[in-house]
Amino acid sequence: MIFKKLIFYSVIFLFTATAILNGSIKEGKKFAIKGGKIYTITNGIIENGVILIEDGKIRSVGRNIEIPYGYEIIDAGDKIILPGLIDFTLPFYFGSNPSVNDEQYEEATPRIKALDTVDPFNWYYKRNLHAGITTVLVSPGNRNVIGGIISAVKVVGSTVDKMMIKDKAGLKGTTGMDALQGNANARMTGPTDIYARRPTSRMGVAWVWRDNFYKTKKFAENVNKGGEALNGYSIEERKNYTILKDVLEKELPVIINSRKIGDLKIALRLQDEFGIDLILAECEEGYKIVDEIAQRDIPVIIGPLFFYPRNINERFEGEHAKLNNAAVLAKAGVKLVLRTGLLPDSRNLLTYAAFLVKYGLKEEEALKAVTINPAEIFGIADRVGSIEAGKDADLVIFNGEPLDFLSKVEKVFVNGKIEFDLKKKKE
Amino acid sequence: MIKRSIIIFKIVIFVILLYSVTIGIAGEGNKIAIKGGKIYTITNGIIDKGIILIDGQKITAVGKDIAIPPEYKVIDASGLMVFPGFIDNHSHLGGLNDINEMVESYTPEMLAVDAWNLYEDELKSALSGGVTTIIFTPGSGNVICGVDCAIKLAGKTFEEAVISKTAGLKFALEFNPVRNARYPTSKMGVIALIEDKFDEALLYKEKWEVYKNQSNGAEKPEYDERLEIMVKALNGDLICRFHVASPSDVYLITRIVKKYNLKANLIHGHYAWKMAKELAENNIAVSCGSITFYKDDRTLRNAGKLFEAGVFISINTDAPVMEQQYLALSAAMVVKYGLPEEEGLKAITINSAKIAGIDDRVGSIEVGKDADILLMTGHPFDIMSKVITAFINGKIVYKK
């Protein structure tokens, strides 16, 4: 009899013990952020809400959510919670290769990948994290007409594979003067210099685009024919045209960097001629053709704000830049993205946003421009960009309004893990 | 008078010829026994007061209780330590002015063996440090630089000195290949170039396979020496040796190695410990050095940490970046900072030989291998130790 009782109790004890153990093991993966003011970006602001996080993903967000058993609770008090911010940058960093941003040998290098410059040990990524930026779009520079592939990475991860969200997010190019910086005609440099080449004018830049698209069309025909039709193409040409083929089939957006109205017009003409999926970047004189941009539904990437190149190849640029450009574009219904443009400057992203608000942009639009808008136009909105059920748990807790210059980032979660904690940093 | 002098001249010539022939015969019958030393065989432990028999160029016996036949010349090594000749995994000794062919950045057809020209004093100083074999590599001026060769630092003829003309295919990353006015000018370009060329080699290989499998019909592809070499690397017949230092470039290399399933060895890899797990998983060997580039303790601990993670280690001087004779000293430095002593010795002998695919001939004291042997006053990791005698191919090439 006593023996039976002993067995009974021991079985019960074992059950409870395993239940407790299980709970404690999974506790690290499940937690709830309670209270605060949640800027979901896509569904307005939730006061005193709850965010449930499980296995690195957001399970649910809302006001009256019961926190299930086994969830660790993080009380956010009266703090403000935002989704992790997104910036668009060049892979620039100091003290390394002299020209890490551009492959300057040719004008059209669609096969070049900015992802190859991502260094998981680069401390600028960590510094970005301290400013609440959890995702970075890395892009080739402006010195090529067709620059290369843009990729989306998170700032956390020990290898590039672990950082990467999307390897082909877009194709970077330019119609501006940057592409002819350094190029010169043979009379000035000697015909053997590698910089003695096209383009040396805006016409030349436009022609490089057209030429490549025409050749791509021909290539696409040959791909359909198959077999020996492809024999004449070098491996570099095959790779380049395969990427441009994706562009012509609208599977890959093209980000064209240009400032002056003329350059913007070239981009629009290219869209008319080849039907590409176009995104304009920098776009300093965008306010001059705002109706056209809005009517075509072209997203615009604004920034960098405090750097206006004055004199590129003796063509004056940046003279007509206005700080209310963003506000004018947003008012007309253009989807805006804000970027800092350079990785070392990336932590100032919200300062840029606040500046745009000062010059007329609505706060809501400014926050969208650093969260959901870049996520949507680069096709990563299923994972980042807002606080929604099913997305990655990339969250930033601010101790004040995010656009207030004096507010500080207190905690940053990436993939449901605390990656930055202001308190611990102070200790 | 004239006739007489001619006769004398003839006699002199005859005597000289005879002498040289007898010397040659003596060389053929070169039989030496090294007796009484503490033998570090590297692959089979340490033999105290052991005996090594050398017949001609090869080692014929190693052990403790070996009868020495009467025709053997005995060399007494009691009180000395005996090591196999050291191998530098990465050296430019003897060809610094000719190791970069820098018009294009893609030159796999360049053979390092064509650049090799050693001066007597360089040779002496290398041997004084116990280095008997080097993997002589092209410089890092190009992205795909050329084919390495393995060379012994002695031998009357070139054929005697060269062990392997295809000891590896050298690639370079970092800033070395991009600082010129040519393609590529950026790291992105470097990676694109390497990937493009491997992809091209895959296409080339496929074309030849199609041609060989069809008895008639298919057009014969054009022979391309460059792509032939790239195909060898793809097939694993040629180890790819990458000049890298920063962890991000090490990552890029792991990606390329995985993508094309290559046999690979990183040269330098100063910060490779940050990627140690990935390197071990992909069987990528690391050749550490030259230690003159080490800025801090972390890089000195690199080799030890990599070994702990299971990475295959060797050590180089990158001569003349660091003088060739300091190879053992470089190993001693990384042993001081965490690599086990035994591994330190392997890293400058058998491991380097294995990476270059010449371990059937050099790298340890074993029966059947070349008699490249050092007699030293002490352990090479002791800074006071000296090389007393160095043998290469059974012949004394250096004597203190």
Side-chain angles (χ1 to χ4, degrees), chain B residues 175-187:
Chain B
F175 74 101
N176 303 50
V178 298
R179 50 192 169 179
N180 313 297
R182 58 163 194 197
Y183 173 66
T185 66
S186 71
K187 191 187 283 187

Side-chain angles (χ1 to χ4, degrees), chain B residues 281-300:
Chain B
E281 277 168 12
N282 293 297
N283 292 324
I284 300 175
V286 178
S287 167
C288 303
S290 131
I291 62 163
T292 41
F293 278 126
Y294 287 5
K295 285 177 194 152
D296 50 21
D297 289 5
R298 291 190 306 166
T299 37
L300 278 168

Side-chain angles (χ1 to χ4, degrees), chain A residues 91 93 96-106 109 111-121 140-141 158-162 193-195 228 231 234-236 238-239, chain B residues 174-176 178-193 195-197 199-201 203 207 219 246-249 251-252 255 258-260 274-275 277-278:
Chain A
Y93 49 93
S96 188
N97 291 350
S99 63
V100 80
N101 294 348
D102 307 274
E103 176 50 52
Q104 294 185 37
Y105 185 69
E106 292 166 275
T109 54
R111 70 183 188 285
I112 299 292
K113 299 183 282 288
L115 192 65
D116 289 340
T117 64
V118 174
D119 177 1
F121 305 96
S158 57
T159 66
V160 179
D161 284 336
K162 286 174 190 160
D193 193 288
I194 67 158
Y195 294 108
E228 291 184 2
N231 277 353
S234 72
I235 196 88
E236 290 87 354
R238 282 175 203 224
K239 287 184 178 180
Chain B
E174 303 296 342
F175 74 101
N176 303 50
V178 298
R179 50 192 169 179
N180 313 297
R182 58 163 194 197
Y183 173 66
T185 66
S186 71
K187 191 187 283 187
M188 299 180 285
V190 171
I191 297 300
L193 177 77
E195 289 191 343
D196 287 350
K197 293 308 167 190
D199 286 341
E200 204 177 340
L203 272 177
K207 269 186 199 167
E219 201 183 326
S246 63
S248 60
D249 283 16
Y251 163 78
L252 292 170
R255 206 188 69 193
K258 251 194 260 178
K259 189 172 170 190
Y260 298 102
K274 290 187 177 183
M275 302 290 291
K277 218 177 104 196
E278 280 77 10

Side-chain angles (χ1 to χ4, degrees), chain A residues 24-89:
Chain A
S24 65
I25 287 165
K26 282 183 181 168
E27 225 171 40
K29 286 182 177 177
K30 290 180 180 179
F31 60 92
I33 300 175
K34 202 178 119 183
K37 198 171 164 190
I38 303 167
Y39 282 69
T40 65
I41 304 295
T42 42
N43 294 314
I45 297 167
I46 301 170
E47 302 248 14
N48 293 320
V50 171
I51 305 171
L52 294 184
I53 292 157
E54 196 180 328
D55 292 333
K57 297 273 178 186
I58 297 167
R59 195 174 130 185
S60 52
V61 193
R63 220 190 159 131
N64 301 313
I65 293 179
E66 216 173 286
I67 299 172
Y69 171 75
Y71 274 68
E72 189 193 338
I73 296 172
I74 295 169
D75 198 346
D78 57 349
K79 306 284 161 62
I80 286 168
I81 305 166
L82 242 74
L85 308 178
I86 302 172
D87 193 12
F88 180 104
T89 73

Side-chain angles (χ1 to χ4, degrees), chain B residues 96-112:
Chain B
L96 196 64
N97 297 331
D98 290 311
I99 51 175
N100 285 307
E101 177 56 43
M102 282 179 60
V103 175
E104 285 171 274
S105 40
Y106 162 61
T107 55
E109 76 280 19
M110 293 299 143
L111 304 180

Side-chain angles (χ1 to χ4, degrees), chain B residues 41-266:
Chain B
T41 64
I42 305 297
T43 43
N44 294 314
I46 300 165
I47 303 168
D48 210 0
K49 291 181 182 160
I51 293 168
I52 302 170
L53 296 187
I54 300 167
D55 190 354
Q57 299 191 357
K58 302 280 178 184
I59 298 168
T60 49
V62 186
K64 208 160 169 136
D65 303 311
I66 294 171
I68 303 173
E71 71 267 28
Y72 276 68
K73 187 187 161 197
V74 177
I75 291 174
D76 187 15
S78 33
L80 300 178
M81 290 188 177
V82 183
F83 295 90
F86 301 144
I87 304 169
D88 193 341
N89 182 272
H90 177 72
S91 168
H92 307 297
L93 188 78
L96 196 64
N97 297 331
D98 290 311
I99 51 175
N100 285 307
E101 177 56 43
M102 282 179 60
V103 175
E104 285 171 274
S105 40
Y106 162 61
T107 55
E109 76 280 19
M110 293 299 143
L111 304 180
V113 70
D114 295 333
W116 203 62
N117 259 315
L118 195 61
Y119 292 103
E120 195 72 10
D121 51 341
E122 285 179 325
L123 179 100
K124 275 249 171 77
S125 77
L127 286 171
S128 73
V131 179
T132 57
T133 302
I134 60 169
I135 315 300
F136 180 64
T137 55
S140 301
N142 295 349
V143 177
I144 303 179
C145 323
V147 178
D148 306 345
C149 66
I151 291 183
K152 284 198 187 186
L153 297 183
K156 280 196 180 117
T157 64
F158 218 68
E159 281 65 33
E160 223 177 320
V162 176
I163 307 177
S164 163
K165 284 178 190 169
T166 52
L169 180 58
K170 168 94 185 278
F171 294 72
L173 278 87
E174 303 296 342
F175 74 101
N176 303 50
V178 298
R179 50 192 169 179
N180 313 297
R182 58 163 194 197
Y183 173 66
T185 66
S186 71
K187 191 187 283 187
M188 299 180 285
V190 171
I191 297 300
L193 177 77
I194 296 175
E195 289 191 343
D196 287 350
K197 293 308 167 190
F198 274 124
D199 286 341
E200 204 177 340
L202 280 172
L203 272 177
Y204 180 76
K205 192 179 157 190
E206 197 188 300
K207 269 186 199 167
W208 273 99
E209 271 163 14
V210 168
Y211 171 69
K212 278 171 191 164
N213 291 340
Q214 285 182 354
S215 51
N216 50 7
E219 201 183 326
K220 190 177 177 181
E222 206 170 312
Y223 179 86
D224 188 328
E225 176 72 25
R226 290 176 164 186
L227 292 175
E228 287 287 330
I229 289 167
M230 297 302 284
V231 168
K232 267 188 200 164
L234 277 175
N235 292 343
D237 300 335
L238 204 56
I239 188 166
C240 297
R241 288 155 51 82
F242 296 96
H243 163 111
V244 290
S246 63
S248 60
D249 283 16
V250 172
Y251 163 78
L252 292 170
I253 289 310
T254 15
R255 206 188 69 193
I256 287 171
V257 168
K258 251 194 260 178
K259 189 172 170 190
Y260 298 102
N261 199 12
L262 303 172
K263 251 171 85 183
N265 168 215
L266 304 187

Side-chain angles (χ1 to χ4, degrees), chain A residues 6 13 19-20 72 81 93 146 256 349 382 391 413:
Chain A
L6 201 69
F13 172 75
I20 289 166
E72 189 193 338
I81 305 166
Y93 49 93
I146 306 178
I256 291 185
L349 186 63
D382 56 328
K391 288 200 181 186
F413 299 83

